[in-house]
Amino acid sequence: MKRIIPVLILALLCCACSHESAPLVASDVVVSKPKPGMSMAAGYLTLTSNASQPIVITHVESPQFESIEMHESVIEDGIARMYRLGDLTVAAKSSVVFEPGGKHLMLMRPVGEIDTVSLDFYAGEAVVLTVNVALSD
Ligand SMILES: [Cu+2]
């Protein structure tokens, strides 16, 4: 019995430190349910880097959507338009905000009925961040 406690404490400490030192962290994640008759949804979040080097997000994938693009909304001549972003750089020790009217994720063609979504952020071939979130109305 005596051995269990030190092992548990070690496990807890390990958990805490690996969480803090994750190179990329997501917060304030909101993904809307696709509106009736629509095959796309918007996603918003804040990406915060703890890394000492820039992290370049090349693409985002999800098992629940056939395609995900990173977009940016702009107002031109009073008309809202959106553009597809290429690679997105998160500078060292800084944040990039995806929010209504600015950068957002465009999630297209949901695969079946979905309540939650899992988002994989890629830097080239490597997944640098996985986010799971329940869809909001
Ligand atoms: Cu868009």
Side-chain angles (χ1 to χ4, degrees):
M1 254 334 248
K2 265 193 182 163
R3 283 192 179 199
I4 291 174
I5 291 166
V7 169
L8 267 180
I9 290 170
L10 203 64
L12 285 174
L13 284 175
C14 225
C15 240
C17 71
S18 69
H19 189 72
E20 251 172 55
S21 65
L24 197 61
V25 177
S27 55
D28 302 325
V29 185
V30 178
V31 178
S32 63
K33 272 198 180 115
K35 301 225 167 22
M38 298 288 281
S39 62
M40 56 177 71
Y44 306 106
L45 75 166
T46 299
L47 293 174
T48 301
S49 168
N50 296 313
S52 50
Q53 299 291 325
I55 296 173
V56 180
I57 305 294
T58 53
H59 59 291
V60 184
E61 290 183 7
S62 168
Q64 289 85 27
F65 286 86
E66 284 181 22
S67 173
I68 298 181
E69 293 179 1
M70 293 184 284
H71 283 184
E72 178 142 37
S73 294
V74 291
I75 305 283
E76 282 176 359
D77 303 325
I79 298 164
R81 299 173 191 277
M82 58 188 181
Y83 293 98
R84 186 175 180 175
L85 292 171
D87 294 349
L88 177 84
T89 301
V90 185
K93 313 277 183 196
S94 63
S95 296
V96 172
V97 180
F98 288 72
E99 61 191 346
K103 293 184 179 63
H104 56 276
L105 297 176
M106 210 84 236
L107 302 90
M108 291 167 282
R109 298 185 297 281
V111 180
E113 286 292 307
I114 52 171
D115 289 318
T116 61
V117 62
S118 176
L119 302 168
D120 291 322
F121 290 79
Y122 282 80
E125 301 282 292
V127 175
V128 287
L129 174 68
T130 298
V131 177
N132 294 296
V133 64
L135 298 184
S136 56
D137 291 311

